[in-house]
Amino acid sequence: MRTYLVTGGCGFIGSNFIHHLFNTYGEDIRVVNIDALTYAGNPENLKDIETRPGYRFVKADICDKDAVRKVFSEEDVDVVVHFAAESHVDRSILHPELFVKTNVLGTANMLNCAKEAWQLEEGPDPLGNFREGKRFLHVSTDEVYGSLPEDGGFFYETTPYAPHSPYSASKASSDFLVKAYMDTYHFPANITNCSNNYGPYQFPEKLIPLMINNALKGEKLPVYGDGKNVRDWLYVEDHCRAIDLVINKAKLYETYNVGGHNEKQNIEIVKTIIDVLREELPDSDPRKAGLSYDLITYVEDRKGHDRRYAIAPDKIHKDLGWLPETAFKEGIRKTVQWYFDHQDWMDHITSGNYMNYYKDMYGNRKEI
Ligand code: NAD
Ligand code: TYD
């Protein structure tokens, strides 16, 4: 039986990935989830699996050496899937140091603890020898590559790193640490750099769930700057399939970009969300009346706002046969349906602290 150690499993992508693992491999796997339960970690995301025999939750900070070491001593971990991170660019602009701590020092600690647990004293490789079948998958972002011009170009695995935000700089640093472990010790790892994910369980500070939540409440939809910044959108289940393939089929030490050809301007996304909500809500629903493009409000731009991201998924397609399967409008429809069906989830999150955050983050943004 293979044991996965997932970090940040109570967050958006981590919880989707744990669901994907159990849906795909059922009783044949064990999953240990280390999560500090920051504002972004929500145990409700895994409510349906928390009592499964093959699942264990450990509340711990990835920076805590003793806690992480203890997990490695108690479990024979085969695969680490490292999601835990501070993940929101706007927050990184306010509190960069927290991003350095979790994303850089936390990753260094995860690497050290895995290396210590998997290392063999002797073997043929002068750089390092590790137990068979062990692998560390570091989940990173396309934002490490910086910003592309509006009129063309794509991010490839060979594109030089040029991060701009404290978030992307901290993720780039963590990628370099993983690369350094591979080069220095032949530590068994892979890195994936994916584009913007969307889908179930995403915290409503990110563009798509924030717009769905605000639109359903008839509140303003704050679009930064001219609304023409471009992101390459990836349905989270397509991303989970890609990670699974990398773990099972990729050669060690390879890096893969995940995403592809789903580029949209932010304003287009917001309009699609309004359109889909109008199509999905019955005429009798009182929320439908207020749903129009008039809710769109242009606000002052994000500092250092990257203009365009776009991934060429050629390598993962060629090596592993992966392509995204979810067309954008279908993905938005599924996401909207999920939020309709999980209104309680949204209500729990958007009570209390979230509202204070929302006021701090968006209340002071000047309309333009
Ligand atoms: P998220 O913010 O939804 O979840 C992060 C999780 O990590 C939360 O459960 C949180 O409690 C946990 N965590 C944070 N600090 C921790 C710490 N010190 N110790 C232990 N746990 C901690 O993030 P997400 O959107 O699910 O992103 C997951 C990973 O994917 C991140 O590494 C992120 O950089 C990367 N990524 C995300 C996207 C995206 O669009 N969401 C795109 C590219 C890459
Ligand atoms: P976000 O979901 O924060 O992801 P990232 O910054 O990592 O790409 O933002 C996606 C895009 O949407 C980005 O260009 C910023 C923009 N945006 C808005 O226009 N309004 C908002 O309220 C938010 C949260 C984001």
Side-chain angles (χ1 to χ4, degrees):
M1 177 181 287
R2 182 188 258 182
T3 298
Y4 292 80
L5 172 54
V6 174
T7 69
C10 296
F12 164 47
I13 308 177
S15 59
N16 276 284
F17 185 69
I18 292 177
H19 282 114
H20 167 88
L21 282 178
F22 281 119
N23 290 338
T24 311
Y25 302 108
E27 313 294 306
D28 298 338
I29 55 159
R30 176 166 174 74
V31 175
V32 181
N33 170 18
I34 296 187
D35 197 301
L37 298 182
T38 68
Y39 79 94
N42 184 354
E44 268 192 66
N45 297 0
L46 294 169
K47 208 163 59 189
D48 51 331
I49 61 138
E50 68 190 2
T51 54
R52 276 188 84 112
Y55 176 70
R56 176 182 172 200
F57 174 63
V58 178
K59 182 175 182 308
D61 189 323
I62 53 164
C63 300
D64 181 340
K65 193 168 175 176
D66 293 341
V68 176
R69 257 191 176 157
K70 186 161 177 282
V71 172
F72 274 101
S73 72
E74 290 166 352
E75 306 278 349
D76 185 9
V77 174
D78 297 299
V79 179
V80 174
V81 193
H82 180 37
F83 294 101
E86 287 293 337
S87 68
H88 189 38
V89 174
D90 289 331
R91 288 186 192 251
S92 83
I93 294 167
L94 292 178
H95 303 292
E97 68 294 344
L98 182 56
F99 283 66
V100 174
K101 180 170 179 284
T102 293
N103 299 359
V104 185
L105 299 181
T107 299
N109 189 45
M110 288 307 304
L111 288 165
N112 268 334
C113 292
K115 175 172 170 285
E116 190 180 86
W118 292 345
Q119 197 160 240
L120 292 167
E121 299 267 305
E122 285 175 19
D125 187 338
L127 295 185
N129 293 278
F130 292 89
R131 289 164 59 203
E132 254 326 281
K134 306 297 182 189
R135 192 184 293 253
F136 189 105
L137 191 290
H138 176 62
V139 179
S140 190
T141 168
D142 59 359
E143 301 189 28
V144 298
Y145 298 118
S147 188
L148 289 164
E150 260 169 7
D151 56 352
F154 292 101
F155 295 138
Y156 293 90
E157 287 77 1
T158 48
T159 303
Y161 277 29
H164 297 134
S165 72
Y167 164 67
S168 53
S170 69
K171 291 297 290 188
S173 309
S174 67
D175 292 12
F176 281 133
L177 276 172
V178 179
K179 287 174 200 280
Y181 271 62
M182 294 194 279
D183 292 348
T184 309
Y185 311 112
H186 281 180
F187 178 74
N190 294 99
I191 299 173
T192 53
N193 295 84
C194 67
S195 57
N196 285 55
N197 283 220
Y198 68 103
Y201 302 109
Q202 189 167 28
F203 191 84
E205 65 185 352
K206 305 280 167 63
L207 180 72
I208 289 179
L210 187 144
M211 295 298 165
I212 295 174
N213 185 42
N214 281 21
L216 285 173
K217 291 193 187 141
E219 287 172 6
K220 288 179 181 173
L221 307 179
V223 173
Y224 298 169
D226 64 2
K228 292 187 178 157
N229 299 67
V230 171
R231 299 292 183 264
D232 181 2
W233 293 92
L234 173 65
Y235 192 62
V236 64
E237 285 174 19
D238 284 335
H239 183 200
C240 291
R241 264 192 315 108
I243 293 173
D244 196 357
L245 270 176
V246 172
I247 291 168
N248 285 296
K249 294 232 173 86
K251 277 200 236 144
L252 286 173
Y253 316 121
E254 293 292 337
T255 288
Y256 287 99
N257 284 354
V258 188
H261 308 312
N262 211 351
E263 289 177 52
K264 307 275 174 219
Q265 290 186 339
N266 293 337
I267 188 64
E268 212 181 323
I269 304 277
V270 177
K271 287 182 174 168
T272 305
I273 289 171
I274 296 170
D275 295 343
V276 171
L277 285 171
R278 287 192 61 80
E279 284 160 23
E280 296 293 314
L281 281 175
D283 288 341
S284 56
D285 193 306
R287 294 172 296 183
K288 192 162 177 173
L291 269 172
S292 82
Y293 293 173
D294 291 345
L295 292 175
I296 295 171
T297 310
Y298 289 91
V299 297
E300 69 183 302
D301 210 353
R302 173 184 278 173
K303 290 186 174 73
H305 197 175
D306 285 338
R307 195 61 176 167
R308 175 170 167 258
Y309 302 144
I311 275 186
D314 303 14
K315 182 177 172 190
I316 192 165
H317 179 55
K318 183 167 156 280
D319 288 5
L320 309 179
W322 180 90
L323 274 180
E325 286 174 2
T326 314
F328 185 67
K329 199 156 178 193
E330 180 203 338
I332 289 289
R333 206 175 290 285
K334 281 189 185 171
T335 306
V336 159
Q337 206 55 58
W338 188 87
Y339 283 98
F340 281 165
D341 296 343
H342 294 78
Q343 194 56 53
D344 283 1
W345 182 93
M346 187 63 100
D347 290 345
H348 293 165
I349 281 189
T350 53
S351 59
N353 280 340
Y354 175 83
M355 287 320 292
N356 297 334
Y357 159 79
Y358 191 85
K359 263 192 244 139
D360 282 353
M361 189 66 81
Y362 303 104
N364 303 323
R365 260 182 205 274
K366 277 200 245 71
E367 288 184 24
I368 53 174

